[in-house]
Amino acid sequence: AAGPKSSVSSSGSTGPSPLSSLPHALHDHVSGSEDLHNYRSNMAVHRRGLLRRKVPIATMLSWSKAAISAPMLITPDKKLWRAALDLFKQVQAYMGDRHLRGREAAPVARHVVSTGWATVALRDELYLQLCKQTTSNRNKASNLRGWELFCMCLNFFPPSPKFHSYLQGYIAKSIDSPDKDIAVHAAHALKKLDRARQTGARKGQAAPTQEEVDLAKASILRTPLFGSSLEDIMELQVSTFPGLKIPRVIQVLAGAVLQQN
């Protein structure tokens, strides 16, 4: 069964579709499946009320103001169980759905990113929590911050291969969102997801620094030339220099060097 769709309001802004910024290799995945069939066995069963009625999957995967009482995924390890519940609270705090209690938002984002980067067993849990909190979220500011977290996390680590197709489908459907801000973030997240699938998690033993996390957030709304992959550079220039087989920047720099003899 397909997962629930997020509800967002239109920002009223116009411009080129964020789809145009995607590498051609990803275009076919924009209508990707959100099917949880291959992952449903990993999901926990949530219950509520005196009769401990089972919470429907659609409700379980929809935005909640309240904290979760159990992880989204089956988590036998008690330490990971507690860490998953705390992680959800940190996600809520960054999104503005919970008081920051005197903290700044940036360090909270770094805590979320670092936790997912350092603890492989919590990565799918984190991404499913973000799916939940960006589904049927009527608060645009909160929803946008959830998408910021998506982009920042995907800059440093991928989901498990088993969860990849669901996450890909979930993100892809938001590229056509009437809210341009959400669409831009979704397009960026989809590119980062594809890159993370190919390269894996960020290498090294040190957790991402605050500066690195801040740069990951800043990169959502800008397209840096230096530091980008060759594939990204060529995709960006295809509309303006369709016949150019090398990055335009190399042509410009080579010309400047020749002019200086």
Side-chain angles (χ1 to χ4, degrees):
K5 294 185 177 181
S6 59
S7 173
V8 294
S9 59
S10 172
S11 64
S13 56
T14 60
S17 168
L19 178 59
S20 63
S21 69
L22 290 177
H24 292 305
L26 287 179
H27 286 191
D28 293 339
H29 295 300
V30 171
S31 59
S33 171
E34 283 184 77
D35 200 344
L36 270 176
H37 177 73
N38 294 328
Y39 203 75
R40 186 70 69 90
S41 62
N42 298 81
M43 297 186 66
V45 175
H46 285 195
R47 299 185 182 278
R48 63 186 176 189
L50 293 175
L51 299 179
R52 308 302 296 160
R53 297 184 185 277
K54 183 178 178 180
V55 177
I57 191 70
T59 301
M60 183 177 166
L61 290 177
S62 295
W63 178 87
S64 172
K65 177 69 174 178
I68 55 176
S69 58
M72 303 291 290
L73 300 176
I74 297 173
T75 310
D77 186 285
K78 291 184 178 179
K79 184 177 180 180
L80 288 176
W81 173 288
R82 291 191 294 268
L85 301 191
D86 178 71
L87 192 58
F88 186 77
K89 292 178 181 178
Q90 302 307 315
V91 167
Q92 287 184 305
Y94 182 80
M95 292 177 64
D97 300 327
R98 175 180 291 270
H99 292 302
L100 285 168
R101 300 186 183 281
R103 298 174 295 170
E104 296 292 330
V108 174
R110 181 182 178 237
H111 175 81
V112 172
V113 169
S114 297
T115 300
W117 175 80
T119 313
V120 176
L122 286 176
R123 290 177 183 173
D124 287 356
E125 171 72 27
L126 172 56
Y127 284 127
L128 198 56
Q129 289 180 6
L130 288 172
C131 289
K132 171 182 174 66
Q133 292 304 95
T134 53
T135 295
S136 301
N137 187 342
R138 298 181 180 181
N139 184 319
K140 176 175 177 176
S142 167
N143 200 27
L144 196 58
R145 280 182 168 258
W147 280 100
E148 285 178 357
L149 275 180
F150 258 132
C151 294
M152 286 186 276
C153 289
L154 287 168
N155 201 73
F156 295 98
F157 55 89
S160 70
K162 193 172 184 179
F163 189 60
H164 179 272
S165 62
Y166 173 79
L167 187 59
Q168 183 183 62
Y170 179 84
I171 294 173
K173 71 181 177 58
S174 292
I175 291 177
D176 288 328
S177 169
D179 187 317
K180 183 179 178 181
D181 292 330
I182 298 299
V184 167
H185 281 64
H188 184 85
L190 193 62
K191 287 192 290 186
K192 289 297 181 182
L193 174 63
D194 184 63
R195 180 71 56 77
R197 179 185 62 81
Q198 297 178 47
T199 63
R202 171 186 177 274
K203 304 300 188 291
Q205 295 184 338
T209 65
Q210 187 65 62
E211 181 180 15
E212 288 174 322
V213 175
D214 291 345
L215 285 173
K217 177 183 175 181
S219 71
I220 301 170
L221 299 180
R222 62 177 170 81
T223 306
L225 182 60
F226 295 99
S228 297
S229 69
L230 178 60
E231 179 188 40
D232 286 347
I233 293 173
M234 296 305 290
E235 286 286 346
L236 287 168
Q237 74 176 33
V238 70
S239 60
T240 50
F241 302 97
L244 193 59
K245 302 302 182 183
I246 61 173
R248 171 65 174 166
V249 65
I250 294 179
Q251 186 182 56
V252 172
L253 291 175
V257 171
L258 290 174
Q259 287 180 358
Q260 296 296 324
N261 294 320

